[in-house]
């Protein structure tokens, strides 16, 4: 079915133009978020199979809504000319590759700024554009940047380190791309001067994994991998109940007092180890093994719903682990309209997540499903000022692919 080509006005980023060249998750998700907030997003795909996300069944429908697809080779002579036209009035250009591939192939920041001095350029790679050349030019994925940053080292059990899923490194980096790009756009609008951002994915993972690392940096302290529990506090983590699992974060004076009383250890409250102003139950205390054992025993006698209701009533953060079915059945998620349905380009009904967060005055929205590979090539090039003769030349040279007739 035909899909819209004229973007409606909506969102806090209405009027912003974003052009990107990347595959799969980190950068495309960042651009998807920007598009949900109102930006006009052009997605550059290769002329063969396009973005590898197209191999998925449903993820592609969720992560490429609102985007325009142009299929082209940006490194051909014609492609370089097309890139310069696309970024003439763009606010942000983002590319993802191994190190400075774009510069090596002749598309430099200086070249882009000569066309658009206010352009914000974001280079996303596993290890950045400077540093050890071997590392800079190494392949990287979500899993490997988690390993390199020490994020895997901090997760899992003592016997088995664990990658955080699903694709945590990619999704964290998507949010970093959004924040860094918008920060630079704010500055460019104030000064008229663009910015180039060298975003190394492992550095984002260093930033989000620094909480315990900073103790090591200053005191050489290393906490053991705690599996589903906290590294240094009792009663924080995932616990098994009579029928399911529950997440607990017991912290605070009244919360600790109530917990100890509830699991039969009320006599510990007010002692030297647990004075009446005790806000944290440290694993380093002599009674920590007993507290954990009694808590585990107590939880196995009750359902997750019972524990959540009781603990929540006493201002303890407690949440039953929700399955996907549970999430969809929640009145809260229904009331906030967290999920939605739409028709894809083939007329199939797709279910997915609605836009987040909720903007009161300029809400985000979705205006088109994911297009076919190169669906927007002709429209984008014509709007950029290229003639029919130019388009024919691009096609004959193999520099572009038109998918509008498919």
């Amino acid at each position: 079915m035909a899909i819209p080509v004229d973007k409606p006005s909506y969102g806090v980023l209405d009027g912003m133009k974003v052009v990107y060249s990347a595959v799969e998750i980190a950068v495309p998700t960042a651009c998807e978020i920007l598009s949900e907030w109102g930006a006009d997003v052009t997605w550059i795909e290769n002329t063969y199979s396009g973005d590898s996300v197209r191999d998925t069944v449903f993820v592609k429908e969720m992560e490429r809504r609102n985007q325009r697809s142009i299929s082209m080779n940006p490194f051909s002579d014609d492609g370089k000319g097309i890139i310069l036209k696309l970024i003439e009035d763009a606010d942000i250009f983002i590319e993802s590759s191994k190190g400075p591939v774009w510069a090596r192939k002749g598309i430099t920041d200086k070249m882009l700024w000569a066309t658009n001095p206010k352009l914000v350029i974001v280079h996303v790679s596993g290890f950045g554009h400077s540093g050890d050349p071997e590392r800079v030019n190494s392949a990287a994925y979500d899993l490997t940047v988690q390993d390199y940053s020490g994020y895997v080292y901090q997760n899992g059990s003592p016997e088995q380190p664990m990658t955080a899923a699903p694709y945590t490194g990619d999704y964290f980096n998507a949010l970093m791309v959004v924040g860094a790009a918008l920060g630079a756009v704010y500055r460019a609008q104030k000064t008229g001067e663009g910015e180039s951002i060298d975003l190394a994915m492992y550095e984002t993972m260093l930033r989000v994994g620094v909480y315990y690392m900073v103790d090591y940096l200053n005191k050489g302290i290393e906490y053991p991998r705690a599996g589903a529990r906290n590294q240094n506090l009792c009663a924080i983590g995932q616990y098994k109940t009579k029928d399911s699992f529950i997440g607990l974060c017991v912290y605070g004076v009244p919360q600790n007092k109530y917990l100890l009383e509830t699991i039969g250890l009320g006599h510990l409250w007010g002692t030297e180890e647990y004075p009446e102003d005790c806000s944290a139950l440290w694993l380093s205390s002599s009674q920590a093994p007993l507290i954990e054992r009694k808590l585990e025993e107590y939880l196995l006698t009750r359902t997750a719903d019972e524990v959540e209701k009781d603990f929540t009533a006493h201002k303890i953060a407690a949440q039953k682990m929700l399955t996907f079915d549970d999430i969809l059945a929640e009145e809260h998620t229904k009331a906030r309209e967290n999920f939605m349905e739409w028709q894809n380009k083939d007329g199939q009904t797709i279910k997915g997540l609605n836009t987040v967060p909720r903007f009161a005055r300029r809400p985000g929205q979705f205006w088109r499903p994911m297009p076919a590979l190169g669906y927007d090539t002709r429209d984008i090039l014509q709007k950029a000022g290229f003639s029919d003769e130019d388009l024919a030349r691009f096609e004959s040279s193999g520099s572009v692919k038109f998918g509008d007739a498919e």
Side-chain angles (χ1 to χ4, degrees):
M1 68 177 191
I3 63 176
V5 295
D6 295 320
K7 178 189 165 295
S9 176
Y10 68 90
V12 293
L13 298 184
D14 192 39
M16 175 176 286
K17 181 178 177 180
V18 178
V19 178
Y20 81 93
S21 174
V23 298
E24 280 287 349
I25 300 176
V27 168
T29 297
C31 294
E32 174 62 26
I33 291 170
L34 295 173
S35 79
E36 294 171 17
W37 297 352
D40 193 325
V41 174
T42 295
W43 165 31
I44 298 174
E45 299 188 79
N46 64 50
T47 55
Y48 300 100
S49 57
D51 189 333
S52 54
V53 79
R54 291 187 178 276
D55 294 334
T56 68
V57 179
F58 296 111
V59 173
K60 63 187 178 186
E61 305 288 358
M62 169 72 205
E63 299 288 25
R64 298 298 187 278
R65 296 177 292 185
N66 285 7
Q67 302 185 22
R68 306 178 189 273
S69 170
I70 178 171
S71 179
M72 59 175 286
N73 175 6
F75 304 118
S76 65
D77 289 340
D78 287 334
K80 290 174 183 176
I82 293 170
I83 287 290
L84 292 181
K85 290 294 289 184
L86 294 183
I87 61 95
E88 265 186 3
D89 59 347
D91 298 283
I92 301 171
F93 172 71
I94 311 173
E95 64 85 12
S96 181
S97 54
K98 288 190 293 185
V101 167
W102 281 63
R104 285 199 297 266
K105 292 192 175 185
I107 302 178
T108 64
D109 292 350
K110 185 177 180 180
M111 172 183 172
L112 298 177
W113 281 329
T115 297
N116 182 352
K118 292 176 63 176
L119 184 67
V120 169
I121 305 165
V122 188
H123 299 288
V124 180
S125 61
F127 303 104
H129 283 196
S130 62
D132 174 34
E134 183 176 356
R135 183 64 62 184
V136 165
N137 294 295
S138 295
Y141 287 92
D142 163 87
L143 182 150
T144 56
V145 297
Q146 287 195 47
D147 274 298
Y148 191 76
S149 66
Y151 205 77
V152 169
Y153 180 67
Q154 299 182 67
N155 286 279
S157 67
E159 298 78 22
Q160 177 64 63
M162 181 183 297
T163 304
Y167 303 106
T168 302
D170 279 325
Y171 283 108
F172 278 159
N173 271 283
L175 298 178
M176 182 65 87
V177 170
V178 170
L182 294 183
V185 168
Y186 173 80
R187 180 66 178 172
Q189 291 176 342
K190 293 285 186 179
T191 65
E193 183 178 51
E195 180 62 89
S196 177
I197 301 168
D198 178 6
L199 197 155
M201 293 177 66
Y202 88 90
E203 291 176 342
T204 297
M205 298 310 295
L206 279 174
R207 184 65 185 86
V208 297
V210 76
Y211 190 94
Y212 292 114
M213 184 185 286
V214 74
D215 287 350
Y216 175 79
L217 294 174
N218 290 279
K219 287 289 186 179
I221 299 171
E222 288 195 61
Y223 301 103
R225 285 189 293 273
R229 304 292 171 79
N230 187 266
Q231 282 85 342
N232 51 25
L233 289 167
C234 296
I236 297 180
Q238 303 297 326
Y239 290 83
K240 186 172 177 57
T241 64
K242 185 178 181 179
D243 65 337
S244 183
F245 291 89
I246 193 165
L248 297 179
C249 189
V250 182
Y251 195 85
V253 174
Q255 290 83 357
N256 290 334
K257 182 176 185 292
Y258 181 76
L259 178 80
L260 293 178
E261 291 172 346
T262 299
I263 63 177
L265 296 177
H267 61 280
L268 295 179
W269 191 254
T271 63
E272 184 176 351
E273 274 199 290
Y274 304 102
E276 294 188 355
D277 62 350
C278 175
S279 62
L281 303 176
W282 295 98
L283 283 173
S284 56
S285 68
S286 65
Q287 299 299 318
L290 176 63
I291 293 173
E292 285 290 290
R293 179 171 63 81
K294 295 291 283 185
L295 175 58
E296 290 170 353
E297 291 173 355
Y298 172 81
L299 293 172
L300 288 173
T301 67
R302 287 161 173 78
T303 67
D305 286 329
E306 291 170 342
V307 176
E308 181 182 326
K309 183 177 180 180
D310 177 47
F311 280 20
T312 299
H314 289 87
K315 296 182 171 55
I316 293 173
Q319 176 58 60
K320 172 186 175 180
M321 179 192 72
L322 299 186
T323 65
F324 293 159
D325 281 342
D326 292 334
I327 296 169
L328 293 174
E330 277 286 302
E331 291 303 318
H332 185 65
T333 62
K334 292 177 183 178
R336 291 184 64 83
E337 300 179 334
N338 290 142
F339 300 95
M340 64 177 292
E341 296 183 358
W342 68 97
Q343 302 294 308
N344 71 4
K345 63 180 178 61
D346 300 316
Q348 178 186 5
T349 298
I350 303 296
K351 299 177 182 179
L353 190 66
N354 211 333
T355 182
V356 295
R358 296 163 69 99
F359 294 93
R361 294 181 173 177
R362 296 285 295 177
Q365 72 175 59
F366 298 104
W367 65 279
R368 69 178 340 213
M370 183 197 76
L373 173 63
Y375 182 89
D376 301 288
T377 300
R378 187 178 308 277
D379 182 59
I380 290 171
L381 293 177
Q382 288 175 339
K383 288 178 178 175
F386 291 105
S387 66
D388 290 341
E389 290 75 19
D390 291 328
L391 271 59
R393 187 180 75 255
F394 296 157
E395 185 173 28
S396 64
S397 70
S399 297
V400 305
K401 179 178 180 180
F402 297 103
D404 49 359
E406 298 178 2

Coordinates of all heavy atoms in Angstrom, one line a residue, residues 221-251:
I221 N 38.9 -1.3 45.7 CA 37.8 -2.2 46.2 C 37.2 -2.8 45.0 O 36.7 -2.1 44.1 CB 36.8 -1.4 47.0 CG1 37.5 -0.8 48.3 CG2 35.7 -2.3 47.4 CD1 36.5 0.1 49.0
E222 N 37.0 -4.1 45.0 CA 36.3 -4.8 44.0 C 35.2 -5.6 44.6 O 35.4 -6.4 45.5 CB 37.2 -5.8 43.2 CG 38.2 -5.1 42.3 CD 38.8 -6.1 41.2 OE1 38.0 -6.7 40.5 OE2 40.0 -6.2 41.3
Y223 N 34.0 -5.4 44.2 CA 32.8 -6.2 44.8 C 32.6 -7.4 43.9 O 32.7 -7.4 42.7 CB 31.6 -5.3 44.8 CG 31.7 -4.0 45.6 CD1 31.9 -2.8 45.0 CD2 31.7 -4.1 47.0 CE1 32.0 -1.7 45.7 CE2 31.8 -2.9 47.7 CZ 32.0 -1.7 47.1 OH 32.1 -0.6 47.8
P224 N 32.3 -8.5 44.5 CA 32.1 -9.7 43.7 C 30.8 -9.6 42.9 O 29.9 -8.9 43.2 CB 31.9 -10.8 44.8 CG 31.4 -10.1 46.0 CD 32.1 -8.7 46.0
R225 N 30.8 -10.3 41.8 CA 29.6 -10.4 41.0 C 28.5 -11.0 41.8 O 28.7 -12.2 42.3 CB 29.8 -11.2 39.7 CG 30.6 -10.4 38.6 CD 30.6 -11.1 37.3 NE 31.3 -12.3 37.4 CZ 32.7 -12.4 37.2 NH1 33.4 -11.4 36.9 NH2 33.3 -13.6 37.3
A226 N 27.4 -10.4 42.0 CA 26.4 -10.8 42.9 C 25.2 -11.5 42.3 O 24.2 -11.8 43.0 CB 25.9 -9.6 43.7
G227 N 25.3 -11.8 41.0 CA 24.1 -12.5 40.4 C 22.9 -11.6 40.4 O 22.9 -10.5 39.9
A228 N 21.8 -12.1 41.0 CA 20.6 -11.3 41.0 C 20.4 -10.5 42.3 O 19.4 -9.9 42.5 CB 19.4 -12.3 40.9
R229 N 21.5 -10.4 43.0 CA 21.4 -9.6 44.3 C 22.4 -8.4 44.2 O 23.1 -8.2 43.2 CB 21.9 -10.5 45.5 CG 21.0 -11.7 45.6 CD 19.6 -11.4 46.0 NE 18.7 -12.6 45.9 CZ 18.7 -13.6 46.9 NH1 19.4 -13.5 48.0 NH2 17.9 -14.6 46.7
N230 N 22.3 -7.5 45.2 CA 23.2 -6.3 45.3 C 24.6 -6.7 45.7 O 24.8 -7.7 46.5 CB 22.5 -5.3 46.3 CG 23.3 -4.0 46.2 OD1 24.1 -3.7 47.0 ND2 22.9 -3.1 45.3
Q231 N 25.5 -5.9 45.3 CA 26.9 -6.2 45.6 C 27.3 -6.0 47.1 O 28.2 -6.7 47.6 CB 27.9 -5.4 44.7 CG 28.0 -5.9 43.3 CD 26.9 -5.4 42.4 OE1 25.9 -5.0 42.8 NE2 27.2 -5.5 41.1
N232 N 26.6 -5.1 47.8 CA 27.0 -4.8 49.1 C 25.9 -4.5 50.1 O 26.2 -4.1 51.3 CB 28.0 -3.6 49.1 CG 27.5 -2.4 48.4 OD1 26.3 -2.2 48.2 ND2 28.4 -1.6 47.9
L233 N 24.7 -4.8 49.8 CA 23.6 -4.5 50.7 C 22.6 -5.7 50.7 O 22.3 -6.4 49.7 CB 22.8 -3.3 50.3 CG 23.5 -1.9 50.5 CD1 22.7 -0.9 49.7 CD2 23.6 -1.6 51.9
C234 N 22.1 -6.0 51.9 CA 21.1 -7.0 52.1 C 19.7 -6.6 51.6 O 19.5 -5.4 51.4 CB 20.9 -7.4 53.6 SG 22.3 -8.1 54.4
A235 N 18.9 -7.5 51.3 CA 17.5 -7.3 50.9 C 17.3 -6.4 49.7 O 16.3 -5.6 49.6 CB 16.7 -6.7 52.1
I236 N 18.2 -6.4 48.8 CA 18.1 -5.7 47.5 C 18.5 -6.7 46.4 O 19.6 -7.2 46.4 CB 19.1 -4.5 47.5 CG1 18.7 -3.4 48.5 CG2 19.0 -3.8 46.1 CD1 19.5 -2.2 48.6
G237 N 17.5 -6.8 45.5 CA 17.8 -7.8 44.4 C 16.5 -8.5 44.0 O 15.4 -8.2 44.4
Q238 N 16.7 -9.6 43.3 CA 15.6 -10.4 42.9 C 15.5 -11.7 43.8 O 16.5 -12.4 44.0 CB 15.8 -10.9 41.4 CG 15.9 -9.8 40.4 CD 14.7 -8.9 40.3 OE1 13.5 -9.4 40.5 NE2 14.9 -7.6 40.1
Y239 N 14.3 -12.0 44.3 CA 14.1 -13.1 45.2 C 13.0 -14.0 44.8 O 12.0 -13.5 44.2 CB 13.8 -12.5 46.6 CG 15.0 -11.8 47.3 CD1 15.3 -10.5 47.0 CD2 15.7 -12.5 48.2 CE1 16.3 -9.8 47.6 CE2 16.8 -11.8 48.9 CZ 17.1 -10.5 48.6 OH 18.2 -9.9 49.2
K240 N 13.1 -15.2 45.1 CA 12.1 -16.2 44.8 C 11.0 -16.2 45.8 O 11.3 -16.2 47.0 CB 12.7 -17.6 44.7 CG 11.7 -18.7 44.2 CD 12.4 -20.0 43.9 CE 11.4 -21.1 43.5 NZ 10.6 -20.6 42.3
T241 N 9.7 -16.2 45.4 CA 8.6 -16.3 46.3 C 7.9 -17.6 46.1 O 8.4 -18.5 45.4 CB 7.6 -15.2 46.0 OG1 7.1 -15.4 44.6 CG2 8.2 -13.8 46.1
K242 N 6.8 -17.8 46.7 CA 6.1 -19.1 46.7 C 5.7 -19.4 45.2 O 5.6 -20.6 44.8 CB 4.8 -19.0 47.5 CG 4.0 -20.3 47.7 CD 2.9 -20.0 48.6 CE 2.0 -21.3 48.8 NZ 0.9 -21.0 49.7
D243 N 5.4 -18.4 44.4 CA 4.9 -18.6 43.1 C 5.6 -17.9 42.0 O 5.4 -18.2 40.8 CB 3.4 -18.2 43.0 CG 3.2 -16.7 43.2 OD1 4.1 -16.1 43.8 OD2 2.2 -16.2 42.8
S244 N 6.6 -17.1 42.3 CA 7.2 -16.3 41.2 C 8.5 -15.7 41.7 O 9.2 -16.3 42.5 CB 6.2 -15.2 40.8 OG 6.8 -14.4 39.7
F245 N 8.8 -14.5 41.3 CA 10.0 -13.8 41.7 C 9.6 -12.3 42.0 O 8.6 -11.8 41.4 CB 11.1 -13.8 40.7 CG 11.7 -15.1 40.5 CD1 11.2 -16.0 39.5 CD2 12.8 -15.5 41.2 CE1 11.8 -17.2 39.4 CE2 13.4 -16.7 41.0 CZ 12.9 -17.6 40.1
I246 N 10.3 -11.7 42.9 CA 10.0 -10.3 43.3 C 11.3 -9.5 43.4 O 12.3 -10.0 43.9 CB 9.2 -10.2 44.6 CG1 8.6 -8.8 44.7 CG2 10.0 -10.7 45.8 CD1 7.5 -8.7 45.8
G247 N 11.2 -8.3 42.9 CA 12.4 -7.4 43.1 C 12.2 -6.5 44.3 O 11.1 -5.9 44.5
L248 N 13.2 -6.5 45.2 CA 13.1 -5.7 46.4 C 14.3 -4.7 46.5 O 15.4 -5.0 46.1 CB 13.3 -6.7 47.7 CG 12.2 -7.7 47.9 CD1 12.5 -8.6 49.1 CD2 10.8 -7.1 48.0
C249 N 14.0 -3.6 47.0 CA 15.0 -2.6 47.3 C 14.6 -2.0 48.7 O 13.9 -1.0 48.8 CB 15.0 -1.5 46.3 SG 16.4 -0.4 46.5
V250 N 15.1 -2.7 49.7 CA 14.8 -2.3 51.1 C 15.9 -1.4 51.6 O 17.0 -1.7 51.8 CB 14.7 -3.6 52.0 CG1 14.4 -3.1 53.5 CG2 13.7 -4.6 51.5
Y251 N 15.5 -0.1 51.7 CA 16.5 0.9 52.1 C 15.7 2.0 52.9 O 14.6 2.4 52.5 CB 17.2 1.5 50.9 CG 18.4 2.3 51.2 CD1 19.6 1.7 51.4 CD2 18.3 3.7 51.4 CE1 20.7 2.5 51.7 CE2 19.4 4.5 51.7 CZ 20.6 3.8 51.8 OH 21.7 4.6 52.2

